[in-house]
Amino acid sequence: MSDDKRIPSRKDLLDIASLSVEEIEHLLKTAIPFKELFKRSVKKVPALRGKTVLNLFYEPSTRTSSSFEVAASRLSADVTNFTVSQSSVVKGESIIDTIDTLQAMRTDYIVIRHGAAGIPNLIAKHTRASVVNAGDGFHAHPTQALLDMFTLREVFPETSGKKVLIVGDILHSRVARSTSTILHKLGLQVGVLGPSTLVPPARHDFMRGFRTWDEAFAWQPDVVYLLRVQLERQGEPFFPSLGEYHRVYGLTTDRYRRLADEGTWLMHPGPVNRGVEIVDDAMTYERSLINQQVENGIAVRMAVLYWLLPDTELRNPKG
Amino acid sequence: MSDDKRIPSRKDLLDIASLSVEEIEHLLKTAIPFKELFKRSVKKVPALRGKTVLNLFYEPSTRTSSSFEVAASRLSADVTNFTVSQSSVVKGESIIDTIDTLQAMRTDYIVIRHGAAGIPNLIAKHTRASVVNAGDGFHAHPTQALLDMFTLREVFPETSGKKVLIVGDILHSRVARSTSTILHKLGLQVGVLGPSTLVPPARHDFMRGFRTWDEAFAWQPDVVYLLRVQLERQGEPFFPSLGEYHRVYGLTTDRYRRLADEGTWLMHPGPVNRGVEIVDDAMTYERSLINQQVENGIAVRMAVLYWLLPDTELRNPKG
Amino acid sequence: MSDDKRIPSRKDLLDIASLSVEEIEHLLKTAIPFKELFKRSVKKVPALRGKTVLNLFYEPSTRTSSSFEVAASRLSADVTNFTVSQSSVVKGESIIDTIDTLQAMRTDYIVIRHGAAGIPNLIAKHTRASVVNAGDGFHAHPTQALLDMFTLREVFPETSGKKVLIVGDILHSRVARSTSTILHKLGLQVGVLGPSTLVPPARHDFMRGFRTWDEAFAWQPDVVYLLRVQLERQGEPFFPSLGEYHRVYGLTTDRYRRLADEGTWLMHPGPVNRGVEIVDDAMTYERSLINQQVENGIAVRMAVLYWLLPDTELRNPKG
């Protein structure tokens, strides 16, 4: 889709930290024509015909899994879902042996989500397949960061210098980690609002911390990015109750009014816990980018899969 | 597949009630060449190449889900199964937000089954995608009605005036509701046998109620259509036990003999609870249409998906 | 892929016992070019375009299910996964009625795994579809046997006369049953090591029984084939504990050293229970064929699906 394929492709996409600005820009640029495809009657291109994508999800996420499935499918690749819960994991197969099995199946891509940080890197090191990290523990979620950045580029002609306020449990969020990294790399300003103990100290160099919504509003952010509260991860609560979270860090009716008055944009990785991160009314906010993020997710994932295809293959399409 | 595409297509198929007789006839006619495909070695046509179908089942039904999957696949569409139980629903995502997500994924079709009546209509109103109701609560199951009618047309050269006896819990059956509607629209006579409290009063105008099999046999039905007893929906029993149901409303050995003697045809939406709706012997009855219904289900669903494709696209196949 | 299609195809592959040596040799030969495909950029051929494969797994096995899915996909067939646990089986549908339903869907292939021996044969008898047994109870697992034999042919220029030692619960293993049968048919020698009560008496004619690893090593096997201990099948333990199994029948560190010293090859159907059948160190053994077995599984399953395609269809590719 891109004429100047002067940015060499990589084998894997494991995190944002290891990508250069040029590589990020290349991916964002490649995603544009893919998104334009969606307006056409036939949304499919033959770019990955004959390639096999293995969707390996150890944590449930229909949203991300389907997004990759549709992305691969629109590139004409074949997708096999390796549903792990009802499978060999039950039988006690270790992750190392699973990697060997996947390697032996010679799939071209492995899209992996896992509860433990570093598993995608481990798999990448041991297989010839191109590995895409679809979220690992508290570590990284690089395609989320790319789709967030792509969405900001659609809204702002010039993103450099723009202020993005991230709200929630920054410390335990792979979304916050990957997205704040891409924002910083591309010259945006990052503010964070959340319990002070939950903002990673190592990031204080480029993250500006706020303790209250009032402080944060005074900073005049261009975008408020609300993190998802992980309701299902019980056992590690960092606030007394969901009602308490909403009261202290949620986008309440009052805060929503203030946000709307100032024309601030609203983002969320989805799915939203209504009444927790966001009051119901705000779900129809005209400057909410939440659904745009979903659509851009497919375009960006197409760009990633396409980019990871080895140059040699692109040069020899007849294989 | 059809030469005279003078019946304009619709965006969605939500129920039988809102279809005109002409539209029903058009769908039944379109399904004929699709079924003929099944006898060929290659059962596939390129009609929906590049289209995406999202199979969204909130209630388990391998049978209907697979039928739609095979139908879409034989039209060369790409199918993504959105398995809801192990997904965002677990995370508390509301139906409205799910709709917005699906809309953002820009799939061309959404095939939806849901336990609550009206959800498909809600989705249809809020997405550009063509929505097909694959069963919602006690409301409707329009593709079941179409496949039932298609099956009757294969058996009877002239269906008008034919008598169909529906047996079971009419009130709580979306199959009964949709199928009785299509029968009535196309001029067949509908009789119902079941607990009197379970026949909807509003339908007494065209449904003839019977209290016993003897009364019903005296009516001389051409077809007996046995509804499935919903074993898994406990908590709302309308009869004391399955044995009791079989004794009072089931096709027992004696009733089966009488049915066979009179050459009456037998239908059931499947899967059958042997020994409850039907005695084992009757499963091999030569005038049973149960398996024909399954096969016709695929042909009819192909016709539905094909019909919902916008006319503009058919006129501009190059997109 | 094969020029001399003089070996007539069959309708089904149900076990190894009913295959002639010529048929086995034909399948092994056909798998060679399919495996060579895997080294190419596009690993796909159009051989089964337009065909439908139904993957019907009543027992969980991501490994075998995915292997068939990838195999079918590389032949350009469409695969529908009929996940049985969350489906009509829940509703009490009998196996006979399921067969009728599948028959009515007119899929070209049914790949079936079931906990009860004989179910694939029952299905094969009642459908026009080509049925492939992917494992039924303690009975058979023919594609496992074919991939094992294919793997041995890659290692040994001449397999006839080679000695294979199978270790574990021979009596309850469909792998042991199918693999020992193919080995015997093709002239290899089969030794078995396991509790004496667990070696089937009827097989004593061609299986040489050993009671201890020392006895077995004295036989000087060329290959040691470790069976998988079925951890999940509780209720029928034939040894006191997993630790005890490892001590008596497992490949312990000492036995692994002896195996490596003698250059013996190592096989296992996977997935391995580390620390039970095999000590961790042995997982990186250079003469382990375990991953090669996985890769060969796809090639052999492609050969099987291709072979079952009726000759008439191959002669009339335009269908």
Side-chain angles (χ1 to χ4, degrees):
Chain A
M1 303 301 289
S2 165
D3 289 332
D4 58 331
K5 187 98 173 121
R6 281 164 304 188
I7 306 292
S9 76
R10 286 178 173 243
K11 179 178 160 292
D12 312 296
L13 177 68
L14 301 173
D15 56 32
I16 292 297
S18 59
L19 290 181
S20 71
V21 171
E22 291 69 31
E23 288 174 316
I24 293 170
E25 293 288 2
H26 176 72
L27 284 168
L28 296 174
K29 192 175 155 194
T30 309
I32 296 171
F34 284 130
K35 181 165 178 184
E36 275 163 13
L37 269 183
F38 303 170
K39 293 176 201 150
R40 289 168 36 184
S41 164
V42 172
K43 301 172 184 67
K44 209 167 170 173
V45 289
L48 300 193
R49 181 150 294 164
K51 301 293 173 195
T52 323
V53 177
L54 204 133
N55 243 354
L56 180 64
F57 275 65
Y58 286 84
E59 287 189 333
S61 172
T62 295
R63 197 180 264 247
T64 306
S65 171
S66 297
S67 179
F68 272 106
E69 192 173 341
V70 171
S73 181
R74 287 190 181 156
L75 291 165
S76 301
D78 292 311
V79 184
T80 298
N81 291 306
F82 203 91
T83 35
V84 184
S85 58
Q86 61 172 37
S87 83
S88 298
V89 165
V90 177
K91 297 186 189 170
E93 186 176 19
S94 84
I95 188 80
I96 300 279
D97 299 341
T98 299
I99 292 169
D100 286 341
T101 301
L102 299 179
Q103 165 73 350
M105 291 177 76
R106 289 180 177 259
T107 62
D108 299 290
Y109 296 88
I110 297 171
V111 175
I112 163 110
R113 166 163 292 191
H114 198 283
I119 297 292
N121 300 56
L122 191 70
I123 296 185
K125 202 174 290 172
H126 287 87
T127 63
R128 283 181 298 257
S130 282
V131 174
V132 182
N133 182 358
D136 61 330
F138 302 146
H139 173 227
H141 193 355
T143 58
Q144 178 72 45
L146 286 163
L147 76 88
D148 289 338
M149 193 61 225
F150 185 90
T151 305
L152 290 167
R153 282 281 167 84
E154 289 187 321
V155 171
F156 302 109
E158 174 58 53
T159 50
S160 181
K162 287 285 177 291
K163 295 176 184 170
V164 179
L165 175 72
I166 305 179
V167 182
D169 178 0
I170 317 287
L171 191 62
H172 296 119
S173 167
R174 58 192 172 212
V175 172
R177 185 177 292 260
S178 284
T179 294
S180 67
T181 303
I182 206 169
L183 297 175
H184 180 60
K185 284 201 178 213
L186 269 64
L188 289 87
Q189 299 183 61
V190 182
V192 295
L193 168 60
S196 60
T197 55
L198 294 175
V199 178
R203 310 219 143 191
H204 283 167
D205 54 341
F206 73 87
M207 280 180 171
R208 184 153 173 177
F210 302 101
R211 281 176 310 163
T212 64
W213 273 98
D214 277 341
E215 273 186 26
F217 273 129
W219 184 54
Q220 295 189 296
D222 300 288
V223 179
V224 166
Y225 192 113
L226 302 170
L227 295 177
R228 176 177 164 76
V229 171
Q230 299 296 330
L231 299 180
E232 67 274 30
R233 288 191 202 150
Q234 296 303 339
E236 44 177 72
F238 71 95
F239 47 85
S241 72
L242 293 179
E244 179 70 5
Y245 182 91
H246 184 64
R247 202 183 58 76
V248 182
Y249 299 108
L251 191 69
T252 57
T253 304
D254 284 351
R255 289 171 197 144
Y256 168 46
R257 279 190 197 136
R258 185 157 174 192
L259 188 96
D261 283 348
E262 299 183 5
T264 310
W265 297 87
L266 181 64
M267 295 177 79
H268 187 292
V272 167
N273 298 300
R274 285 168 168 252
V276 183
E277 300 106 40
I278 307 186
V279 72
D280 268 24
D281 300 347
M283 291 303 288
T284 54
Y285 180 35
E286 60 178 9
R287 293 202 161 192
S288 166
L289 298 168
I290 300 177
N291 296 322
Q292 207 167 315
Q293 287 172 281
V294 174
E295 181 171 0
N296 293 341
I298 297 174
V300 157
R301 282 165 186 132
M302 288 175 78
V304 167
L305 293 173
Y306 184 73
W307 182 53
L308 299 181
L309 194 68
D311 284 0
T312 51
E313 298 213 354
L314 290 173
R315 283 188 209 113
N316 298 305
K318 290 176 187 167
Chain B
M1 304 301 289
S2 164
D3 289 333
D4 58 331
K5 186 92 178 137
R6 283 164 302 188
I7 306 292
S9 77
R10 287 176 172 243
K11 180 178 161 294
D12 311 297
L13 178 68
L14 300 172
D15 55 32
I16 292 296
S18 60
L19 291 182
S20 70
V21 171
E22 290 69 30
E23 288 175 316
I24 293 169
E25 294 288 2
H26 176 72
L27 283 167
L28 296 175
K29 192 175 154 194
T30 310
I32 296 170
F34 283 131
K35 181 165 178 185
E36 275 163 14
L37 269 183
F38 303 170
K39 292 175 200 151
R40 289 169 35 185
S41 164
V42 171
K43 302 173 183 67
K44 210 167 170 173
V45 289
L48 299 193
R49 181 150 294 165
K51 302 293 173 194
T52 323
V53 177
L54 205 133
N55 243 355
L56 180 63
F57 274 65
Y58 286 83
E59 287 189 333
S61 171
T62 295
R63 197 180 263 248
T64 306
S65 171
S66 298
S67 180
F68 272 107
E69 192 173 341
V70 171
S73 179
R74 287 190 181 156
L75 290 164
S76 301
D78 292 312
V79 184
T80 297
N81 291 306
F82 204 90
T83 35
V84 184
S85 57
Q86 62 171 36
S87 85
S88 298
V89 165
V90 177
K91 297 185 187 171
E93 185 177 19
S94 85
I95 188 81
I96 300 279
D97 300 341
T98 300
I99 292 170
D100 286 342
T101 301
L102 299 179
Q103 166 72 350
M105 290 177 77
R106 290 179 176 260
T107 62
D108 300 289
Y109 296 87
I110 297 171
V111 174
I112 163 110
R113 165 164 293 192
H114 198 283
I119 297 292
N121 301 56
L122 190 70
I123 295 185
K125 203 174 289 173
H126 287 87
T127 64
R128 284 182 297 258
S130 283
V131 174
V132 181
N133 182 359
D136 63 329
F138 302 147
H139 173 227
H141 193 355
T143 58
Q144 178 71 45
L146 286 163
L147 76 88
D148 289 339
M149 193 61 223
F150 185 89
T151 305
L152 289 168
R153 281 280 166 86
E154 288 187 323
V155 172
F156 302 109
E158 175 59 53
T159 50
S160 182
K162 288 286 178 290
K163 297 176 183 170
V164 179
L165 175 73
I166 305 180
V167 182
D169 178 0
I170 317 289
L171 190 62
H172 295 120
S173 167
R174 58 192 172 212
V175 172
R177 184 178 291 261
S178 284
T179 294
S180 67
T181 304
I182 207 169
L183 297 176
H184 181 59
K185 284 200 179 215
L186 270 65
L188 290 86
Q189 300 183 60
V190 182
V192 295
L193 168 61
S196 59
T197 56
L198 294 175
V199 179
R203 311 220 142 188
H204 284 169
D205 54 341
F206 73 86
M207 280 180 170
R208 183 152 174 178
F210 302 101
R211 282 177 309 162
T212 65
W213 273 98
D214 278 341
E215 272 186 25
F217 272 128
W219 183 55
Q220 293 188 300
D222 299 288
V223 180
V224 166
Y225 192 113
L226 301 170
L227 296 176
R228 178 178 163 75
V229 173
Q230 299 296 331
L231 298 181
E232 66 274 30
R233 289 190 202 151
Q234 295 302 339
E236 43 177 71
F238 71 94
F239 47 84
S241 72
L242 293 179
E244 179 70 6
Y245 182 90
H246 184 64
R247 203 184 57 76
V248 181
Y249 299 108
L251 191 69
T252 57
T253 304
D254 283 352
R255 290 172 196 143
Y256 168 46
R257 279 191 197 134
R258 185 157 173 190
L259 188 98
D261 283 349
E262 298 183 6
T264 311
W265 296 87
L266 181 64
M267 295 177 81
H268 186 292
V272 167
N273 297 301
R274 285 169 168 252
V276 183
E277 300 107 41
I278 307 186
V279 72
D280 269 23
D281 300 348
M283 291 301 288
T284 53
Y285 180 36
E286 60 177 10
R287 292 202 162 193
S288 165
L289 298 167
I290 301 176
N291 295 322
Q292 207 168 315
Q293 286 172 279
V294 175
E295 181 170 1
N296 293 341
I298 298 175
V300 157
R301 284 166 185 131
M302 289 175 77
V304 167
L305 293 172
Y306 184 72
W307 182 53
L308 299 181
L309 194 69
D311 283 0
T312 51
E313 297 215 353
L314 289 173
R315 282 188 209 112
N316 298 304
K318 288 174 188 169
Chain C
M1 305 300 291
S2 165
D3 289 331
D4 58 332
K5 189 100 170 113
R6 281 163 303 188
I7 306 292
S9 75
R10 286 176 174 244
K11 179 177 162 292
D12 312 296
L13 177 68
L14 300 173
D15 55 33
I16 292 296
S18 58
L19 290 182
S20 70
V21 171
E22 290 70 29
E23 288 174 316
I24 293 170
E25 293 288 2
H26 176 72
L27 284 168
L28 295 175
K29 192 175 155 194
T30 309
I32 296 171
F34 284 131
K35 181 165 178 185
E36 276 163 13
L37 269 183
F38 303 171
K39 292 176 201 151
R40 289 169 38 183
S41 164
V42 171
K43 302 174 182 67
K44 210 166 169 172
V45 288
L48 300 193
R49 182 150 291 165
K51 301 295 172 194
T52 323
V53 176
L54 205 133
N55 243 355
L56 180 64
F57 274 66
Y58 286 84
E59 288 189 333
S61 171
T62 295
R63 196 181 265 246
T64 305
S65 171
S66 298
S67 180
F68 272 106
E69 192 173 341
V70 172
S73 181
R74 287 190 180 155
L75 291 165
S76 301
D78 292 311
V79 185
T80 298
N81 291 305
F82 204 90
T83 35
V84 185
S85 57
Q86 61 172 38
S87 84
S88 300
V89 166
V90 177
K91 298 186 188 170
E93 185 176 20
S94 83
I95 188 80
I96 300 278
D97 299 342
T98 299
I99 292 170
D100 286 341
T101 301
L102 299 179
Q103 165 73 349
M105 292 177 75
R106 289 179 177 259
T107 62
D108 300 290
Y109 295 88
I110 297 171
V111 174
I112 164 111
R113 166 164 292 192
H114 199 283
I119 297 292
N121 300 57
L122 191 69
I123 295 185
K125 204 174 289 172
H126 287 87
T127 65
R128 283 182 297 258
S130 283
V131 174
V132 182
N133 181 0
D136 62 329
F138 302 146
H139 173 227
H141 193 355
T143 59
Q144 178 72 44
L146 286 162
L147 75 88
D148 289 338
M149 193 61 223
F150 186 89
T151 305
L152 290 168
R153 281 281 166 86
E154 288 186 323
V155 172
F156 302 109
E158 173 59 52
T159 50
S160 181
K162 287 286 176 291
K163 296 175 184 171
V164 179
L165 175 73
I166 304 179
V167 183
D169 179 0
I170 316 288
L171 190 63
H172 296 119
S173 167
R174 58 194 173 210
V175 172
R177 185 178 291 263
S178 283
T179 294
S180 67
T181 304
I182 206 169
L183 296 176
H184 181 59
K185 284 200 179 214
L186 270 66
L188 289 86
Q189 300 183 61
V190 181
V192 296
L193 168 61
S196 59
T197 56
L198 294 174
V199 178
R203 310 219 143 190
H204 282 167
D205 54 342
F206 73 87
M207 280 178 170
R208 184 153 172 177
F210 302 101
R211 283 177 309 161
T212 66
W213 273 98
D214 278 339
E215 273 185 25
F217 272 128
W219 184 54
Q220 293 188 299
D222 299 288
V223 180
V224 165
Y225 192 113
L226 302 170
L227 295 176
R228 179 178 162 75
V229 172
Q230 299 296 330
L231 298 180
E232 67 273 30
R233 287 190 202 150
Q234 295 303 338
E236 45 176 71
F238 73 94
F239 47 86
S241 73
L242 293 179
E244 178 71 6
Y245 182 90
H246 184 64
R247 202 182 59 75
V248 182
Y249 298 108
L251 191 69
T252 57
T253 304
D254 283 351
R255 289 172 196 144
Y256 168 47
R257 278 190 197 136
R258 185 158 174 190
L259 188 96
D261 283 349
E262 298 184 4
T264 311
W265 296 87
L266 181 64
M267 295 177 81
H268 187 291
V272 167
N273 297 300
R274 285 168 168 253
V276 184
E277 300 106 42
I278 307 187
V279 71
D280 269 23
D281 299 347
M283 291 303 288
T284 53
Y285 180 36
E286 59 178 10
R287 293 203 160 192
S288 165
L289 298 167
I290 300 176
N291 296 322
Q292 205 167 316
Q293 287 173 280
V294 174
E295 181 171 0
N296 293 341
I298 298 174
V300 157
R301 283 165 185 130
M302 288 176 78
V304 166
L305 293 172
Y306 183 73
W307 182 53
L308 299 181
L309 194 69
D311 283 359
T312 51
E313 298 215 353
L314 289 173
R315 282 187 210 114
N316 299 304
K318 288 174 188 169

